[in-house]
Amino acid sequence: MLRLHDYVLSAECYAVRLMLALLGLAHERRAVDLYPGAATTPWGDVPVLEDGDDVVTDPGLILTYLARAHDPSGRWLPAESAAVVSRWLAFAATDLTALRDARRVAILAAPGDLDALNRKGYMALRALDDHLATRRLEGADWLAGDGPTVADIAVFPAVMLSHDSGIGLEDFPSLNLWQRRLRQLPGFVGMPGIPDYF
Amino acid sequence: MTAEPAALDQWYVLGAIGDFPQGQSSRRLLGTNLAVTRAGDRFTIESNGPPAAVRTDYGHLWTTLGTPARPVFDLPESRESDRRAVYCGAVTVRASGLRLIENFLDLAHFPYVHTDILGTEARPEVAKYEVEQRRDVDELWATKCEFFQPKAAAASEGGQISRYMYRVVSPFNVMLYKTPPAAPDRWDVIALFVQPVEPDLSIAHPYMLVIDDISTDAELIGFQQMIFLQDKIVLENQRPKLLPLQPGRETPTRADLSSVLYRRWLKEKQLRYGVEERTDLA
C-alpha cells in the first residue's frame, strides 16, 4: 500500500497528491503538521512516500518514482523526452523554490524578504511562460514531449499558488493556457487555495 | 488609517503562547508595531507609549491599545478537562478582519466553497435560524442553525446534519459551536481569533477545543487549514476589500441574518477599522 506523509498546505505535497490522482493510485495519507516548529517525519521534510518497505523522499524523485513503478504506460516519463523532463524537474527544485519561500513568508509569516523572493519567482514564471510560448509555436502543448509528463506536474502547484504571495497569472498567457489544459486531465484534483474560476 | 477608540478599546490576539520565543519578538496590530518580550511565562508588550496590558488566556497572548470596558471574553469550555485544545497555526490573509469574521458566520457558502466537505451542492438550503444580540454580555448569537454536511469534521465517517451555534464576542473574535461526530450531546468549539494588522490585512488564529479521541492533532490541524485555505482565496477576492456598512452596497438575503446583525452591531459600536468609508453620512 502506498502511504503519503502529507501536509495540506504544502505545494510539493500537492504535486504528489495530483500525480497519485492522475495515475488513479489508491493510497493512504498520514497528516503531518509542518507549522513552523512542529514535528516532521522520521525521514525529513514532507512529502515522503512509503511503498511497502521502500521510502522515497524529495518531490521530484517521488513523481519520477511513481511514473516508473506505477505507470505501465510509461507516458508520464517518456524516454525520448528524458532530458527535457529532467531539466524542468530541476527547475522546479531550484528556480521555483523562490515562489514556495515567498508563499511561506506571505501566509505563514516565515522570515524572508518577500519582494526579493517575488522578483525571483516572477522571473521563474517568465521563463516557464517563454518556454511554453516557444513550444506552442512548435505545435506542442506541454513542457516536454507530446503529452503531459511529471515535469508538468512538478511545476504546476507553484504556478497555481503564486497568487498567495501576490503574483497573478495575468502576465503569463501561455502559462494560463497550459494550466487550463492540465485541469482538463482525467482524474485531476485541486488543492485548497488553487482557484477554479479561470 | 489610525484606529479609532471603538477599535482600540478591544482585546486582540497576538498569537499562541507557544509561538513566542523567549526574549524579544515583534508583532503588528491596528497599524502599530509592538515589541513583545517574553521572560519565562511573563510577557511585556510595548509600542510607543507605556507598556500595554497583557493577558494570557486560552493558550494565546492578548493585548489592547486602549481601555476595554470588559475583560477578555469567557470561554467556559476551556476549563473542561476532556477537551483537546488544538492550535491551528497563524495564517495571513489580505482582507479586512471583519470580512473574515463575517465569512466565518456564513452557512450559505459551505456547498460552494467547501464542496463535499462542509456542504454539498445538492443540498444548499440554509434552514431558518435565530439571531439575537445579548446586551448584558454584549455578544451576538446565532442559534438553531442546521446544515447537511458530507464531512463535518476530521473524524467524520459519513454525512450528518450538523447543528451549529455562533457566538461573536467582539468585532474580531468569534466562535462556533458544533455537534461533534463522537458526542452528539455536546458541542465542539472552533474559534477564530483575528489580529487586524492593517484595515485590509489580517492574521487569522484558528483554535479548537474539541471532543475527538480518534484524530491526531496533525489531522485536526490539516482539516481546519484546508477549510481555511478554501476561504482565504474567496476573502482575498472580495470587493470592496473593506466591509461596507453603507446601506445598499451589498444586498443580504434571509440566510444572511447573522451578517445583518453583525453589521448593525458594528455600526452601533461606531467601529471603523476595516470598514469601507461611507459616503452617505454628512
Side-chain angles (χ1 to χ4, degrees):
Chain A
M1 183 65 167
L2 292 164
R3 177 189 288 161
L4 173 64
H5 296 261
D6 186 33
Y7 177 53
V8 66
L9 265 64
S10 153
E12 292 76 19
C13 290
Y14 167 58
V16 178
R17 297 197 294 269
L18 177 56
M19 192 76 245
L20 287 163
L22 292 169
L23 291 174
L25 295 173
H27 61 282
E28 178 193 328
R29 282 186 207 158
R30 184 73 46 97
V32 178
D33 179 26
L34 273 201
Y35 188 73
T40 172
T41 74
W43 306 281
D45 204 357
V46 293
V48 171
L49 184 78
E50 285 184 80
D51 190 355
D53 291 334
D54 294 326
V55 176
V56 192
T57 59
D58 180 275
L61 293 180
I62 295 175
L63 296 182
T64 50
Y65 171 78
L66 285 172
R68 281 213 186 94
H70 292 280
D71 176 32
S73 79
R75 68 190 182 106
W76 289 96
L77 198 56
E80 63 276 14
S81 342
V84 190
V85 168
S86 300
R87 181 181 139 208
W88 289 107
L89 284 176
F91 179 85
T94 52
D95 299 45
L96 274 187
T97 56
L99 287 174
R100 176 197 67 197
D101 296 342
R103 189 164 165 265
R104 287 182 185 170
V105 175
I107 69 175
L108 294 178
D113 180 343
L114 184 60
D115 291 339
L117 289 168
N118 268 342
R119 273 196 299 278
K120 274 192 187 168
Y122 189 94
M123 293 311 291
L125 292 175
R126 183 83 274 147
L128 264 174
D129 194 63
D130 287 351
H131 175 70
L132 284 163
T134 311
R135 293 279 293 158
R136 279 173 64 215
L137 293 174
E138 297 162 354
D141 286 339
W142 305 95
L143 284 177
D146 297 330
T149 65
V150 291
D152 296 283
I153 306 308
V155 303
F156 182 76
V159 172
M160 296 314 297
L161 293 166
S162 62
H163 68 89
D164 270 343
S165 62
I167 304 180
L169 290 185
E170 301 83 16
D171 295 349
F172 309 107
S174 297
L175 266 178
N176 249 323
L177 287 168
W178 164 84
Q179 64 92 5
R180 285 196 198 110
R181 269 194 296 277
L182 205 148
R183 286 163 186 274
Q184 304 303 316
L185 295 174
F188 177 85
V189 290
M191 159 176 173
I194 291 194
D196 43 32
Y197 44 71
F198 284 101
Chain B
M1 176 184 182
T2 345
E4 74 291 352
L8 292 171
D9 294 344
Q10 301 284 344
W11 290 101
Y12 292 99
V13 73
L14 292 180
I17 301 284
D19 288 343
F20 288 90
Q22 294 291 329
Q24 287 265 340
S25 48
S26 57
R27 290 291 187 277
R28 194 167 165 84
L29 174 68
L30 300 171
T32 302
N33 286 324
L34 302 177
V36 179
T37 309
R38 177 173 188 171
D41 282 329
R42 290 185 60 85
F43 287 87
T44 48
I45 299 173
E46 287 173 310
S47 55
N48 300 324
V54 178
R55 294 286 182 277
T56 49
D57 291 331
Y58 322 126
H60 287 78
L61 183 65
W62 301 84
T63 194
T64 179
L65 302 180
T67 47
R70 297 167 186 276
V72 176
F73 57 90
D74 189 30
L75 190 52
E77 291 80 5
S78 65
R79 296 185 284 276
E80 296 176 8
S81 58
D82 63 340
R83 284 179 187 270
R84 287 168 60 191
V86 185
Y87 307 94
C88 301
V91 179
T92 306
V93 184
R94 292 191 306 272
S96 160
L98 305 172
R99 286 273 198 202
L100 267 67
I101 301 293
E102 194 181 60
N103 176 74
F104 194 80
L105 294 173
D106 178 42
L107 290 157
H109 77 291
F110 288 167
Y112 308 105
V113 178
H114 311 296
T115 311
D116 299 332
I117 305 168
L118 298 185
T120 166
E121 290 184 359
R123 298 178 71 171
E125 191 190 356
V126 178
K128 197 174 169 200
Y129 58 93
E130 293 177 6
V131 295
E132 62 174 310
Q133 181 171 356
R134 299 190 180 168
R135 293 202 177 261
D136 54 333
V137 284
D138 196 24
E139 293 182 359
L140 306 183
W141 283 75
T143 55
K144 300 184 183 168
C145 312
E146 287 190 351
F147 211 82
F148 176 80
Q149 303 197 310
K151 183 172 169 54
S156 295
E157 289 288 344
Q160 65 173 40
I161 299 272
S162 293
R163 289 184 298 138
Y164 273 71
M165 290 191 295
Y166 290 94
R167 175 184 174 210
V168 191
V169 293
S170 71
F172 292 91
N173 293 294
V174 63
M175 49 221 64
L176 75 79
Y177 297 81
K178 178 176 181 177
T179 46
D185 54 331
R186 296 177 67 191
W187 298 92
D188 273 348
V189 182
I190 300 171
L192 179 66
F193 305 144
V194 174
Q195 172 189 350
V197 177
E198 307 289 344
D200 59 354
L201 180 73
S202 315
I203 302 176
H205 303 266
Y207 176 60
M208 297 191 281
L209 289 164
V210 293
I211 300 150
D212 179 344
D213 45 21
I214 303 166
S215 309
T216 64
D217 273 10
E219 283 168 342
L220 289 168
I221 294 167
F223 182 81
Q224 212 52 41
Q225 290 190 338
M226 171 182 68
I227 298 297
F228 200 76
L229 248 73
Q230 291 173 337
D231 283 320
K232 177 176 176 289
I233 184 163
V234 175
L235 287 164
E236 292 187 341
N237 286 288
Q238 281 178 334
R239 297 292 181 279
K241 289 184 82 132
L242 303 182
L243 189 74
L245 294 183
Q246 185 163 330
R249 284 287 276 148
E250 289 179 345
T251 307
T253 68
R254 199 184 71 181
D256 301 319
L257 265 184
S258 51
S259 155
V260 171
L261 186 67
Y262 178 60
R263 291 186 182 200
R264 194 187 297 154
W265 187 62
L266 295 176
K267 276 187 209 172
E268 197 177 293
K269 292 184 174 308
Q270 298 185 305
L271 192 107
R272 304 279 297 279
Y273 204 82
V275 172
E276 187 193 40
E277 196 168 344
R278 293 180 66 164
T279 55
D280 61 328
L281 301 174

